[in-house]
Short mmCIF file of all heavy atoms in Angstrom, two decimals:
data_model
loop_
_atom_site.label_atom_id
_atom_site.label_comp_id
_atom_site.label_asym_id
_atom_site.label_seq_id
_atom_site.Cartn_x
_atom_site.Cartn_y
_atom_site.Cartn_z
N ALA A 82 -21.19 4.24 -14.88
CA ALA A 82 -21.32 5.64 -14.48
C ALA A 82 -21.26 5.79 -12.97
O ALA A 82 -20.66 6.75 -12.44
CB ALA A 82 -22.63 6.22 -15.01
N HIS A 83 -21.87 4.86 -12.23
CA HIS A 83 -21.78 4.88 -10.77
C HIS A 83 -20.32 4.72 -10.32
O HIS A 83 -19.86 5.40 -9.41
CB HIS A 83 -22.60 3.74 -10.16
CG HIS A 83 -24.08 3.91 -10.26
ND1 HIS A 83 -24.89 2.93 -10.76
CD2 HIS A 83 -24.90 4.94 -9.91
CE1 HIS A 83 -26.15 3.34 -10.72
NE2 HIS A 83 -26.18 4.56 -10.22
N VAL A 84 -19.62 3.78 -10.96
CA VAL A 84 -18.23 3.52 -10.58
C VAL A 84 -17.38 4.76 -10.82
O VAL A 84 -16.58 5.16 -9.97
CB VAL A 84 -17.67 2.31 -11.37
CG1 VAL A 84 -16.19 2.10 -11.03
CG2 VAL A 84 -18.47 1.05 -11.05
N ARG A 85 -17.55 5.39 -11.97
CA ARG A 85 -16.78 6.58 -12.28
C ARG A 85 -17.09 7.71 -11.31
O ARG A 85 -16.19 8.41 -10.83
CB ARG A 85 -17.06 7.01 -13.72
CG ARG A 85 -16.37 8.30 -14.15
CD ARG A 85 -14.86 8.26 -14.05
NE ARG A 85 -14.27 7.30 -14.95
CZ ARG A 85 -12.95 7.14 -15.08
NH1 ARG A 85 -12.09 7.85 -14.36
NH2 ARG A 85 -12.47 6.22 -15.92
N ALA A 86 -18.36 7.90 -10.98
CA ALA A 86 -18.74 8.95 -10.03
C ALA A 86 -18.16 8.68 -8.65
O ALA A 86 -17.71 9.61 -7.95
CB ALA A 86 -20.26 9.06 -9.95
N ALA A 87 -18.15 7.41 -8.24
CA ALA A 87 -17.57 7.06 -6.95
C ALA A 87 -16.09 7.34 -6.93
O ALA A 87 -15.55 7.88 -5.94
CB ALA A 87 -17.84 5.58 -6.65
N PHE A 88 -15.41 7.01 -8.02
CA PHE A 88 -13.97 7.24 -8.12
C PHE A 88 -13.64 8.73 -8.07
O PHE A 88 -12.77 9.17 -7.32
CB PHE A 88 -13.44 6.61 -9.40
CG PHE A 88 -11.95 6.73 -9.58
CD1 PHE A 88 -11.10 5.82 -8.97
CD2 PHE A 88 -11.41 7.73 -10.37
CE1 PHE A 88 -9.72 5.93 -9.13
CE2 PHE A 88 -10.04 7.85 -10.54
CZ PHE A 88 -9.18 6.93 -9.91
N GLU A 89 -14.36 9.49 -8.86
CA GLU A 89 -14.05 10.93 -8.95
C GLU A 89 -14.46 11.70 -7.70
O GLU A 89 -13.88 12.74 -7.40
CB GLU A 89 -14.73 11.51 -10.19
CG GLU A 89 -14.15 10.95 -11.49
CD GLU A 89 -14.77 11.53 -12.73
OE1 GLU A 89 -15.79 12.27 -12.61
OE2 GLU A 89 -14.27 11.24 -13.84
N GLY A 90 -15.43 11.18 -6.96
CA GLY A 90 -15.88 11.88 -5.77
C GLY A 90 -15.24 11.42 -4.48
O GLY A 90 -15.54 11.95 -3.41
N ALA A 91 -14.35 10.44 -4.55
CA ALA A 91 -13.75 9.87 -3.35
C ALA A 91 -12.77 10.85 -2.70
O ALA A 91 -12.16 11.68 -3.38
CB ALA A 91 -13.04 8.57 -3.69
N PRO A 92 -12.58 10.74 -1.39
CA PRO A 92 -11.67 11.63 -0.67
C PRO A 92 -10.21 11.17 -0.75
O PRO A 92 -9.62 10.69 0.22
CB PRO A 92 -12.19 11.57 0.77
CG PRO A 92 -12.73 10.18 0.89
CD PRO A 92 -13.34 9.86 -0.46
N TRP A 93 -9.62 11.32 -1.93
CA TRP A 93 -8.24 10.89 -2.14
C TRP A 93 -7.25 11.78 -1.39
O TRP A 93 -7.50 12.98 -1.20
CB TRP A 93 -7.90 10.94 -3.62
CG TRP A 93 -8.75 10.06 -4.47
CD1 TRP A 93 -9.78 10.45 -5.29
CD2 TRP A 93 -8.68 8.64 -4.58
NE1 TRP A 93 -10.35 9.37 -5.90
CE2 TRP A 93 -9.69 8.23 -5.48
CE3 TRP A 93 -7.85 7.67 -4.01
CZ2 TRP A 93 -9.90 6.90 -5.83
CZ3 TRP A 93 -8.06 6.34 -4.35
CH2 TRP A 93 -9.07 5.97 -5.26
N LEU A 94 -6.13 11.22 -0.99
CA LEU A 94 -5.05 12.05 -0.48
C LEU A 94 -4.56 12.96 -1.60
O LEU A 94 -4.64 12.63 -2.78
CB LEU A 94 -3.87 11.19 -0.03
CG LEU A 94 -4.03 10.27 1.19
CD1 LEU A 94 -2.66 9.73 1.59
CD2 LEU A 94 -4.70 10.96 2.35
N SER A 95 -4.02 14.10 -1.21
CA SER A 95 -3.37 14.98 -2.18
C SER A 95 -2.04 14.36 -2.60
O SER A 95 -1.44 13.59 -1.86
CB SER A 95 -3.11 16.36 -1.55
OG SER A 95 -4.31 16.98 -1.15
N GLY A 96 -1.58 14.72 -3.78
CA GLY A 96 -0.22 14.38 -4.19
C GLY A 96 0.01 13.00 -4.73
O GLY A 96 1.16 12.61 -4.96
N ILE A 97 -1.05 12.22 -4.96
CA ILE A 97 -0.84 10.85 -5.44
C ILE A 97 -0.16 10.85 -6.80
O ILE A 97 0.86 10.18 -7.01
CB ILE A 97 -2.18 10.08 -5.52
CG1 ILE A 97 -2.77 9.90 -4.11
CG2 ILE A 97 -1.98 8.73 -6.20
CD1 ILE A 97 -4.17 9.30 -4.10
N ARG A 98 -0.69 11.61 -7.73
CA ARG A 98 -0.11 11.62 -9.07
C ARG A 98 1.30 12.19 -9.07
O ARG A 98 2.18 11.71 -9.82
CB ARG A 98 -1.02 12.42 -10.02
CG ARG A 98 -2.19 11.59 -10.53
CD ARG A 98 -3.24 12.40 -11.25
NE ARG A 98 -4.16 13.04 -10.32
CZ ARG A 98 -5.36 13.47 -10.63
NH1 ARG A 98 -5.79 13.36 -11.86
NH2 ARG A 98 -6.14 14.02 -9.73
N GLU A 99 1.56 13.16 -8.21
CA GLU A 99 2.90 13.74 -8.13
C GLU A 99 3.91 12.73 -7.61
O GLU A 99 5.04 12.63 -8.12
CB GLU A 99 2.90 14.99 -7.26
CG GLU A 99 2.17 16.18 -7.86
CD GLU A 99 0.65 16.12 -7.67
OE1 GLU A 99 0.12 15.12 -7.13
OE2 GLU A 99 -0.02 17.10 -8.07
N VAL A 100 3.53 11.98 -6.60
CA VAL A 100 4.43 10.96 -6.06
C VAL A 100 4.69 9.87 -7.10
O VAL A 100 5.84 9.45 -7.31
CB VAL A 100 3.86 10.35 -4.76
CG1 VAL A 100 4.63 9.09 -4.36
CG2 VAL A 100 3.90 11.36 -3.63
N TRP A 101 3.66 9.42 -7.76
CA TRP A 101 3.84 8.37 -8.75
C TRP A 101 4.66 8.87 -9.94
O TRP A 101 5.43 8.11 -10.53
CB TRP A 101 2.49 7.83 -9.19
CG TRP A 101 1.82 7.05 -8.09
CD1 TRP A 101 2.35 6.75 -6.86
CD2 TRP A 101 0.51 6.49 -8.11
NE1 TRP A 101 1.45 6.04 -6.12
CE2 TRP A 101 0.31 5.86 -6.85
CE3 TRP A 101 -0.51 6.47 -9.05
CZ2 TRP A 101 -0.87 5.20 -6.53
CZ3 TRP A 101 -1.70 5.81 -8.73
CH2 TRP A 101 -1.87 5.18 -7.49
N ARG A 102 4.52 10.14 -10.29
CA ARG A 102 5.36 10.70 -11.36
C ARG A 102 6.83 10.69 -10.93
O ARG A 102 7.72 10.35 -11.71
CB ARG A 102 4.91 12.12 -11.68
CG ARG A 102 5.63 12.72 -12.89
CD ARG A 102 5.13 14.13 -13.20
NE ARG A 102 3.68 14.15 -13.32
CZ ARG A 102 2.86 14.85 -12.54
NH1 ARG A 102 3.35 15.60 -11.55
NH2 ARG A 102 1.56 14.82 -12.72
N GLU A 103 7.08 11.06 -9.68
CA GLU A 103 8.44 11.03 -9.15
C GLU A 103 9.00 9.61 -9.17
O GLU A 103 10.17 9.39 -9.51
CB GLU A 103 8.43 11.60 -7.73
CG GLU A 103 9.65 11.25 -6.86
CD GLU A 103 10.90 12.04 -7.19
OE1 GLU A 103 10.86 12.87 -8.13
OE2 GLU A 103 11.91 11.84 -6.52
N ILE A 104 8.18 8.65 -8.78
CA ILE A 104 8.62 7.25 -8.79
C ILE A 104 8.99 6.83 -10.21
O ILE A 104 10.02 6.18 -10.44
CB ILE A 104 7.52 6.35 -8.19
CG1 ILE A 104 7.44 6.58 -6.66
CG2 ILE A 104 7.78 4.88 -8.51
CD1 ILE A 104 6.26 5.92 -5.99
N HIS A 105 8.17 7.20 -11.19
CA HIS A 105 8.48 6.92 -12.59
C HIS A 105 9.82 7.53 -12.98
O HIS A 105 10.66 6.87 -13.60
CB HIS A 105 7.39 7.50 -13.50
CG HIS A 105 6.21 6.62 -13.70
ND1 HIS A 105 6.00 5.88 -14.85
CD2 HIS A 105 5.13 6.37 -12.90
CE1 HIS A 105 4.86 5.21 -14.75
NE2 HIS A 105 4.31 5.50 -13.59
N GLU A 106 10.01 8.79 -12.63
CA GLU A 106 11.21 9.51 -13.04
C GLU A 106 12.47 8.94 -12.40
O GLU A 106 13.56 9.04 -12.97
CB GLU A 106 11.06 11.00 -12.73
CG GLU A 106 10.00 11.68 -13.61
CD GLU A 106 9.71 13.11 -13.20
OE1 GLU A 106 10.27 13.56 -12.16
OE2 GLU A 106 8.93 13.77 -13.91
N ARG A 107 12.34 8.35 -11.22
CA ARG A 107 13.47 7.71 -10.56
C ARG A 107 13.81 6.36 -11.20
O ARG A 107 14.86 5.77 -10.90
CB ARG A 107 13.16 7.46 -9.08
CG ARG A 107 13.19 8.68 -8.19
CD ARG A 107 12.82 8.29 -6.75
NE ARG A 107 13.67 7.20 -6.27
CZ ARG A 107 14.86 7.39 -5.69
NH1 ARG A 107 15.34 8.61 -5.52
NH2 ARG A 107 15.57 6.36 -5.28
N GLY A 108 12.93 5.85 -12.06
CA GLY A 108 13.13 4.53 -12.61
C GLY A 108 12.62 3.43 -11.72
O GLY A 108 12.93 2.25 -11.91
N ASP A 109 11.81 3.82 -10.71
CA ASP A 109 11.20 2.86 -9.81
C ASP A 109 9.79 2.51 -10.30
O ASP A 109 9.33 3.00 -11.34
CB ASP A 109 11.14 3.42 -8.39
CG ASP A 109 12.52 3.58 -7.76
OD1 ASP A 109 13.46 2.90 -8.21
OD2 ASP A 109 12.66 4.40 -6.82
#
Side-chain angles (χ1 to χ4, degrees):
H83 289 129
V84 176
R85 176 60 65 177
F88 183 83
E89 294 181 352
W93 300 104
L94 293 191
S95 300
I97 295 173
R98 279 169 277 201
E99 290 82 356
V100 168
W101 290 355
R102 186 179 307 119
E103 161 76 359
I104 288 171
H105 275 257
E106 291 173 355
R107 285 179 54 87
D109 293 337

